[in-house]
Amino acid sequence: MQKILLLMAGLPLCIFSATAQQQSPPSQRANTRFEQLGPVLPTPNTFRTAAGAPGRDYFQNRADYDIKATLDDVTQKITASEVITYHNKSTDALPYLWLQLDQNLFKPDAIGNTARTSSINTSRATSIRQIDPSASLTGKDYGYKITAVRDQAGKPLTYTINQTMMRVDLPAPIKPGGSYSFSIDWNFNIVDAKQTGARSGYEYFPKDGNYIYEIAQWFPRLCVYNDVTGWQNKQFLGQGEFALIFGNYKLTLTAPSDHIVGATGELQNPTQVLSATQLKRWNDAKNRGDKRGDNPVQIVTQAEAEAAEKAKASDVKRTKTWVYKADNVRDFAFASSRKFIWDAMQPNVEGKRVWAMSLYPKEANPLWGQYSTRLIAHTLHAYSRRTIAYPYPVAYSVHGPVGGMEYPMMSFNGARPEADGTYSVGTKNFLISVVIHEVGHNFFPMIVNSDERQWSWMDEGLNSFLEGLACLEWDANFPAHGIDPQYIVPYMQLDSTQQVPIMSSSDNILAGTFGPNAYTKPATGLNILRETVMGRELFDYAFKEYARRWAFKSPEPADFFRTMEDASGVDLDWFWKGWFYGVQPVDQTLTNVSWNQASSQNPDITKSEARAAAQQKLNTISRQRDALSKDQTVVAQDSSMRDFYNQYDPYAVTAEDRKKYQDYLASLTQEERLLAEAGTNFYTLSLQNKGGMPMPVIVRMEFEDGTDSVARFPAEIWRFNDASIKKVIATTKKVKQWTLDPFYEIADINTEDNSFPRVAQPSRFQLFKQQNRATGIPNPMQQQRQQAPARQGTGQN
């Protein structure tokens, strides 16, 4: 195509010179963004393959628990004993076992409290909690009291407590393939969840004098021993969550006789703890929930819960014992209260009936009765389609003091209406998102068992991504900001000193940025991969393959990265580098657009265009004013002053011009001839990557005829020069406006320089000082109720 010329400032240039990639000389290039992660990732081995799958020697140890516990509703205390059977599936002999003691976090001298920073601001009032973050724990007798650790024969075992960890020394190492059983007796005072900000605990209701207990992280439980870290016995500092192993559980819980108890697993003795009426409702709820309009059945109604509140069994001798069993789970939690309303249904999820159940007090209605259990069912359907079929028999949503926390088959969720039963749209949307999010955690990390203590993003980020998709499947207008790229921009705009990479240990994520770092940035990144980089089909297949490979196993970050590439055939190392290992933002700029046209070299066209251009240049203001007196010039009045050139027309087409044109056409290929005669417009876009993070280039063209079109170029367009590039776009229509990232796909932190020509952005000012929103302002539901009598009086509805 070198015979086709471009008109650029009147100079002919080869089209290849305009489209050539701007590649820096090798000696000057320092662009490694598109090199492979290579040594950054652990070397593949027989435990974990280069494809991101478990290897032939992959192993994971197990622990089975038989727990007997008593809940004291008078003193808010749990007394319990457990028999643990540990199964060593590794190739190593283990001379000791490490267990987690999470409740020790609530001792004032725990490392999670003493390691917190604090300061005094002399310019304003300072609370004691700002000075001492553990002030709420002072004078509280929280933490474990381990009363016995014994072997199967009842002989004491030596143990050492180190803050939130306990090492149990064994009489002899557990050999590979061997098992060992031992018992622990303990008790602890349940924390006030709201006062301590804990992930579990109790809430007291002074109006009726009752409690809701949401109990988790409550028993000594085995740490992980694996091929990556050996023992994962990092201290519990409060931010990073848990690394756990799978096992079978049995809980025998004695609680006040009027309490309703929900727990991880299946209830084993319903006929002993439920009334005949409750059992009938239980059976009525079975096989219910397949139709859109199906509502859950109330096993315990609000009226019955209110009656229990008033006639509470204050005599601690009046108890019931509930038995729950759960197989192949990584943890165990339960909830107990006489305040609980209990509703349930049993939808068919991927060919299997699953109990969707909610427990909540009257204070949660009407919001919870309408939405919670339906949301559970929706979540199970939505997540199962994108990962694996939900394997467990039940999923709970429980309302109490904890805003949002997850355990196998059991989630604790917030969102409480106002006392009058009204609620804001924010409260409603929070309920929808938190139930979907916490129930969704059954998949990540309760089934795909990542190490939350080390990598928060592997459960929170992946789960937040699926939460966003499920929320949009619930309501197309739902504000799923957690996966929308434009809403991560404020975080990405922070100075690099105010961020750490996603690939940071959970406890090392900077204060105040845990949400965007562990939840929304990884979730947004996955959405960018799905929508912009990979496409939905490739992404969805690879993501589902990751869930399938690692279900009931324990993946590491490299396993996720490698699986996503292995199953899709897309090289994503540049993305993992920039989005997960780096903190540089996306900031693309369209600095200039030059317009060129291919010359057809048809003299009837080229000379006509040249004549028009020359005439336009001659149309100066002076010549316009002199036009009336042009007949007064010497040449006009004296013909002897005229010669050949006064009659010569340089823009007239000659026979020689036409012959040259025909010879030119004869020398072209068919493709070159079509391009020459099409009148194609060639636009050269000058682009800069000011932020550093490479991303695909998406550009919208608005044409003079009112139509538009979008061109997309992969991120690899930056591979030779990650700072500035040029790109030629050919179109038969003339473009009047260019816009980068028109659909806000790539989290560009500055969109004001994404247009060419520049589009002025209005700077708005506020005429009147906005008043602070005072507490007590009615929500829209309350406002409508207040206005209803007035409307009724005027005959309006």
Side-chain angles (χ1 to χ4, degrees):
M1 293 179 63
Q2 292 184 354
K3 303 165 192 168
I4 300 178
L5 305 181
L6 293 177
L7 296 179
M8 298 183 68
L11 299 177
L13 292 178
C14 170
I15 189 171
F16 284 146
S17 68
T19 59
Q21 178 69 52
Q22 279 64 51
Q23 180 173 350
S24 304
S27 61
Q28 299 176 12
R29 285 172 58 199
N31 178 15
T32 61
R33 299 185 193 279
F34 290 90
E35 297 297 335
Q36 297 299 288
L37 279 171
V40 174
L41 299 181
T43 303
N45 51 49
T46 58
F47 299 107
R48 297 166 193 271
T49 71
R56 66 174 183 268
D57 294 328
Y58 175 83
F59 73 88
Q60 55 188 35
N61 295 346
R62 294 178 60 87
D64 300 327
Y65 300 80
D66 188 345
I67 307 173
K68 295 180 174 60
T70 299
L71 170 64
D72 189 330
D73 189 38
V74 176
T75 62
Q76 288 69 61
K77 183 177 182 179
I78 287 178
T79 302
S81 64
E82 64 184 352
V83 175
I84 304 174
T85 301
Y86 187 78
H87 306 276
N88 182 12
K89 303 294 185 179
S90 77
T91 56
D92 306 320
L94 302 177
Y96 48 77
L97 302 175
W98 279 102
L99 291 88
Q100 302 180 29
L101 301 180
D102 300 15
Q103 290 296 318
N104 284 356
L105 175 68
F106 304 107
K107 292 184 175 182
D109 61 348
I111 187 174
N113 298 315
T114 58
R116 295 182 190 176
T117 58
S118 57
S119 62
I120 296 176
N121 189 338
T122 58
S123 64
R124 61 185 179 187
T126 302
S127 70
I128 187 65
R129 194 164 186 176
Q130 289 173 302
I131 299 172
D132 180 7
S134 63
S136 62
L137 304 176
T138 303
K140 304 292 186 181
D141 187 18
Y142 291 148
Y144 286 106
K145 295 177 180 60
I146 305 294
T147 56
V149 180
R150 302 184 182 93
D151 65 12
Q152 280 187 295
K155 296 179 180 179
L157 291 173
T158 301
Y159 63 92
T160 301
I161 295 177
N162 176 17
Q163 296 276 341
T164 60
M165 293 291 156
M166 179 171 74
R167 189 188 71 239
V168 177
D169 300 325
L170 305 176
I174 307 175
K175 295 179 180 180
S179 299
Y180 186 78
S181 295
F182 64 106
S183 65
I184 301 176
D185 297 342
W186 79 97
N187 64 78
F188 67 92
N189 294 319
I190 304 168
V191 301
D192 182 328
K194 287 186 174 293
Q195 185 183 50
T196 59
R199 288 183 166 92
S200 66
Y202 71 77
E203 178 180 6
Y204 177 64
F205 291 79
K207 285 188 177 180
D208 55 56
N210 288 291
Y211 293 83
I212 287 178
Y213 298 93
E214 294 179 324
I215 305 300
Q217 302 152 239
W218 62 284
F219 59 96
R221 52 193 180 167
L222 264 299
C223 296
V224 171
Y225 183 86
N226 65 17
D227 61 288
V228 178
T229 60
W231 282 110
Q232 166 52 292
N233 52 8
K234 295 179 68 173
Q235 293 289 338
F236 182 35
L237 305 183
Q239 182 162 278
E241 294 182 13
F242 321 116
L244 299 164
I245 58 177
F246 290 102
N248 299 333
Y249 287 76
K250 178 182 178 183
L251 170 66
T252 303
L253 176 68
T254 299
S257 59
D258 53 0
H259 272 215
I260 295 297
V261 175
T264 296
E266 293 181 282
L267 180 61
Q268 301 297 297
N269 61 336
T271 58
Q272 297 174 22
V273 295
L274 302 182
S275 68
T277 300
Q278 291 167 346
L279 278 171
K280 181 181 182 305
R281 294 167 180 167
W282 169 287
N283 289 317
D284 289 344
K286 290 181 179 179
N287 302 326
R288 184 181 180 89
D290 291 339
K291 299 178 182 177
R292 285 288 186 188
D294 279 357
N295 288 314
V297 173
Q298 288 193 337
I299 298 172
V300 176
T301 68
Q302 179 165 330
E304 291 165 346
E306 290 176 346
E309 289 176 351
K310 296 174 182 176
K312 60 184 178 181
S314 58
D315 184 353
V316 295
K317 294 181 180 179
R318 295 174 58 191
T319 61
K320 282 183 182 177
T321 297
W322 299 66
V323 181
Y324 277 90
K325 288 184 68 175
D327 291 336
N328 210 23
V329 294
R330 72 196 285 268
D331 202 357
F332 197 100
F334 70 89
S336 182
S337 180
R338 64 177 56 87
K339 291 178 66 65
F340 280 151
I341 303 163
W342 181 9
D343 67 37
M345 59 186 187
Q346 197 182 42
N348 185 317
V349 179
E350 302 285 316
K352 175 184 175 182
R353 292 288 172 184
V354 178
W355 280 112
M357 298 182 174
S358 295
L359 301 171
Y360 49 94
K362 65 179 184 298
E363 287 81 1
N365 266 335
L367 198 57
W368 271 68
Q370 182 174 359
Y371 289 108
S372 178
T373 299
R374 291 282 298 274
L375 284 164
I376 297 171
H378 170 71
T379 305
L380 298 180
H381 285 300
Y383 277 60
S384 293
R385 286 197 305 272
R386 299 190 185 281
T387 58
I388 64 168
Y390 185 69
Y392 293 131
V394 64
Y396 274 100
S397 173
V398 182
H399 180 65
V402 180
M405 195 57 205
E406 72 280 356
Y407 303 94
M409 305 184 227
M410 172 71 54
S411 63
F412 303 152
N413 302 309
R416 186 172 297 174
E418 303 293 340
D420 62 2
T422 65
Y423 47 86
S424 66
V425 68
T427 299
K428 173 188 172 182
N429 286 343
F430 176 65
L431 176 66
I432 293 170
S433 62
V434 75
V435 172
I436 290 175
H437 182 92
E438 305 305 344
V439 172
H441 268 307
N442 277 288
F443 295 84
F444 301 95
M446 302 305 160
I447 296 169
V448 180
N449 182 26
S450 58
D451 180 353
E452 304 171 86
R453 186 67 55 84
Q454 178 67 27
W455 308 113
S456 290
W457 70 267
M458 288 194 73
D459 70 298
E460 298 297 357
L462 272 59
N463 183 46
S464 294
F465 164 69
L466 291 177
E467 171 206 334
L469 298 183
C471 283
L472 292 172
E473 291 175 354
W474 175 268
D475 182 352
N477 297 316
F478 192 87
H481 296 166
I483 61 172
D484 192 330
Q486 61 185 306
Y487 292 101
I488 196 61
V489 164
Y491 175 65
M492 305 288 277
Q493 288 174 328
L494 293 177
D495 184 88
S496 60
T497 61
Q498 298 175 279
Q499 299 184 53
V500 295
I502 292 173
M503 287 293 293
S504 297
S505 176
S506 299
D507 288 317
N508 296 333
I509 298 172
L510 297 177
T513 65
F514 191 83
N517 180 281
Y519 291 69
T520 49
K521 186 180 178 184
T524 299
L526 295 181
N527 201 40
I528 291 173
L529 287 180
R530 184 173 188 258
E531 299 290 1
T532 304
V533 176
M534 301 171 69
R536 292 187 174 188
E537 182 179 359
L538 288 176
F539 179 93
D540 289 351
Y541 180 88
F543 193 85
K544 193 176 183 73
E545 177 65 9
Y546 169 72
R548 186 195 65 79
R549 285 180 178 181
W550 290 99
F552 298 105
K553 297 180 178 67
S554 300
E556 292 289 315
D559 300 318
F560 176 71
F561 298 151
R562 285 168 168 156
T563 295
M564 291 301 293
E565 297 189 28
D566 178 70
S568 68
V570 180
D571 184 355
L572 299 171
D573 278 22
W574 64 270
F575 187 85
W576 310 132
K577 275 186 177 183
W579 198 265
F580 281 77
Y581 285 89
V583 296
Q584 287 187 314
V586 180
D587 188 4
Q588 295 180 1
T589 303
L590 184 55
T591 58
N592 188 53
V593 178
S594 60
W595 173 40
N596 313 289
Q597 282 187 315
S599 173
S600 69
Q601 299 193 41
N602 183 340
D604 290 305
I605 296 175
T606 59
K607 287 198 169 184
S608 175
E609 291 175 342
R611 183 193 302 278
Q615 289 176 344
Q616 184 177 9
K617 289 183 178 180
L618 291 173
N619 191 30
T620 64
I621 188 64
S622 297
R623 288 180 181 251
Q624 291 179 37
R625 291 170 177 170
D626 291 342
L628 296 176
S629 57
K630 65 180 180 180
D631 293 337
Q632 306 299 317
T633 64
V634 172
V635 171
Q637 294 183 359
D638 186 353
S639 60
S640 66
M641 293 297 100
R642 304 172 196 166
D643 66 359
F644 169 81
Y645 289 103
N646 290 105
Q647 304 299 322
Y648 173 68
D649 181 3
Y651 304 110
V653 180
T654 66
E656 181 64 20
D657 291 335
R658 291 192 171 95
K659 182 178 183 304
K660 288 182 179 179
Y661 178 58
Q662 292 303 318
D663 292 343
Y664 164 72
L665 290 179
S667 70
L668 299 179
T669 65
Q670 182 65 23
E671 179 185 8
E672 291 169 340
R673 184 163 181 167
L674 290 174
L675 180 62
E677 295 176 342
T680 303
N681 299 285
F682 294 90
Y683 294 93
T684 302
L685 280 63
S686 298
L687 299 149
Q688 288 186 358
N689 176 17
K690 296 196 303 183
M693 171 73 196
M695 273 288 179
V697 173
I698 305 115
V699 59
R700 180 181 182 226
M701 298 165 278
E702 297 177 60
F703 301 113
E704 289 184 346
D705 65 1
T707 62
D708 66 352
S709 180
V710 175
R712 293 175 176 270
F713 306 101
E716 285 80 1
I717 196 172
W718 301 98
R719 70 190 184 281
F720 294 124
N721 187 331
D722 63 357
S724 62
I725 56 173
K726 293 182 184 293
K727 182 66 178 178
V728 175
I729 296 179
T731 174
T732 57
K733 298 181 181 181
K734 290 184 179 180
V735 181
K736 67 176 182 179
Q737 184 66 54
W738 300 82
T739 306
L740 285 178
D741 189 26
F743 308 116
Y744 304 98
E745 295 179 56
I746 60 174
D748 193 317
I749 65 169
N750 180 17
T751 57
E752 292 186 1
D753 55 9
N754 283 11
S755 60
F756 192 91
R758 291 285 184 264
V759 176
Q761 300 293 327
S763 178
R764 303 185 184 278
F765 65 93
Q766 193 167 317
L767 187 59
F768 297 104
K769 183 177 180 181
Q770 183 175 345
Q771 296 180 352
N772 291 330
R773 182 176 177 85
T775 58
I777 295 178
N779 62 52
M781 291 179 73
Q782 290 172 326
Q783 292 175 349
Q784 189 175 50
R785 286 186 180 182
Q786 293 170 2
Q787 297 167 2
R791 288 197 300 270
Q792 291 172 1
T794 59
Q796 298 177 354
N797 292 314

